[in-house]
Amino acid sequence: ACVSVAAVAVAPSPLAVATLSLSPTTLATSSVSTTTLATATVATTAITSATIATSAVATSTFSAAALAAASLAASSLATTTVSTTAFASILPAALATTRICDDHINDAGYVEGNHDGVGTDARFDTPSGIDVDAAGAALFVADQQNRQIRVIDLATHVVSTLATLSAFHPHALALGENALSLTKTLYVSDKEKQIMAIDASSGVASILAGSNAPGGTASSVACLSATFDEPRGLAVSYDGESLFVADTNNRCIRRIDLAGCTVVHFAGSQTAQSGYQDGHVNTALFRAPHGVAASPEGARLHVGDAGDHRLRMIDLITDSVSTLAGSGTSGYSDGVAAVASFSRISAISVTADG
């Protein structure tokens, strides 16, 4: 994600430089003089191609022309010691067309970053969960490594940030909408131990459930006293009264009563026993449930078991668990449900018609 320096300041003060996410520690330990930067001759390609070592900067010069055509990556600047006084001396004309970026290329070759914008100009870092509102107008995104919840306007493709969760790594999310009060609550799982509730209009966030302590599967406990072990997939019940949680490392499905805010065991082992077994919710076994999705009529809860490579179904009327699809062997093959193969099912959704 890039921002024009001109949009911040024509001649950047230390404050302006700080708003471009340049490390104060890096800037404070300068070994590059104002004179050096003012008489620079380093090529644009050299600036943009890789991290520039402090030693290289100390013996080089950056011209206004080179800076004007360059996009400086934050990763490059992170290992460079350039003082605020040196930045302040760069010609305003050069700064007006210079961009400083926080984008980086990950190991798979994709661009990651943190930037709101329109369409492909926006940047994310490990988006891991999505949900759309009932009107089909907004798509909510759990931007895991940026620790943010982002919103995409599906009509304009504008990406904005709804909430920043400083100590929280959002993994999956589910939107609950109250038709009477016209309120929308976004439920977000941290991949470690907690569930958060966020007002989808204001972005105000609070912890809904989870004590942030290493977790067991105790049932009928107050939300903030409950413990989880890598809660992942979330699903709001059709009536909006319950939130189902795939408690992955506890090998079970938990249910949060949203009215009284209590957490109860719902399906799978109560002792984190791993396995594959259909039957009543109290005797059924899962290996690593990841994704959950409720059917629109409220009769079924679907579970993607990443550890067993199967799609399971919980009948909410009879409290029974069955296998919907998957042979149990990791792979890729289509076919009738029992012989089709999947590999680590991690997120699922049910169509509007069920």
Side-chain angles (χ1 to χ4, degrees):
C2 303
V3 57
S4 171
V5 178
V8 180
V10 173
S13 65
L15 176 60
V17 173
T19 63
L20 298 175
S21 302
L22 304 179
S23 166
T25 305
T26 299
L27 293 168
T29 57
S30 173
S31 63
V32 182
S33 70
T34 300
T35 304
T36 299
L37 284 170
T39 58
T41 56
V42 175
T44 299
T45 53
I47 297 172
T48 58
S49 62
T51 299
I52 303 172
T54 302
S55 57
V57 174
T59 57
S60 302
T61 53
F62 292 75
S63 70
L67 286 168
S71 291
L72 304 180
S75 55
S76 298
L77 292 167
T79 56
T80 305
T81 52
V82 182
S83 71
T84 52
T85 54
F87 268 99
S89 70
I90 300 173
L91 295 177
L95 288 168
T97 53
T98 300
R99 300 194 306 165
I100 297 181
C101 309
D102 65 357
D103 292 355
H104 63 279
I105 308 298
N106 65 17
D107 292 339
Y110 296 105
V111 178
E112 298 172 338
N114 182 0
H115 177 58
D116 290 339
V118 180
T120 57
D121 184 56
R123 295 289 183 267
F124 302 85
D125 192 347
T126 319
S128 58
I130 58 175
D131 201 1
V132 66
D133 66 1
L139 181 70
F140 297 87
V141 182
D143 193 354
Q144 188 176 119
Q145 294 305 314
N146 282 325
R147 304 186 184 193
Q148 292 176 328
I149 303 301
R150 314 284 289 281
V151 185
I152 303 175
D153 184 311
L154 294 176
T156 63
H157 298 176
V158 171
V159 178
S160 58
T161 299
L162 175 66
T164 298
L165 314 171
S166 58
F168 204 82
H169 286 86
H171 181 83
L173 46 76
L175 182 66
E177 301 188 54
N178 189 313
L180 294 178
S181 64
L182 300 180
T183 58
K184 298 179 182 179
T185 302
L186 199 62
Y187 301 102
V188 183
S189 64
D190 175 70
K191 66 176 185 176
E192 298 298 332
K193 304 177 182 70
Q194 293 178 303
I195 311 295
M196 181 169 283
I198 301 174
D199 185 305
S201 298
S202 68
V204 174
S206 60
I207 299 298
L208 173 70
S211 65
N212 204 29
T217 59
S219 190
S220 299
V221 294
C223 278
L224 295 180
S225 298
T227 53
F228 299 89
D229 193 350
E230 290 200 21
R232 292 182 182 263
L234 303 174
V236 179
S237 63
Y238 82 104
D239 58 8
E241 295 180 357
S242 298
L243 179 68
F244 295 100
V245 182
D247 196 352
T248 301
N249 283 351
N250 279 324
R251 329 285 184 194
C252 68
I253 307 301
R254 314 280 288 280
R255 183 177 66 82
I256 300 176
D257 180 344
L258 295 173
C261 210
T262 56
V263 179
V264 299
H265 173 272
F266 184 69
S269 173
Q270 295 192 52
T271 59
Q273 178 184 349
S274 176
Y276 166 65
Q277 181 172 300
D278 287 335
H280 191 270
V281 290
N282 289 336
T283 58
L285 296 176
F286 300 91
R287 294 194 190 279
H290 272 218
V292 289
S295 62
E297 84 289 346
R300 293 166 286 127
L301 182 72
H302 300 279
V303 180
D305 193 336
D308 203 45
H309 316 295
R310 288 185 172 102
L311 183 63
R312 315 284 290 280
M313 183 180 73
I314 303 175
D315 188 312
L316 300 178
I317 307 300
T318 63
D319 288 340
S320 61
V321 179
S322 60
T323 299
L324 183 63
S327 64
T329 300
S330 178
Y332 171 75
S333 64
D334 293 333
V336 296
V339 299
S341 295
F342 302 90
S343 182
R344 295 192 61 80
I345 303 171
S346 59
I348 58 176
S349 184
V350 179
T351 57
D353 59 7

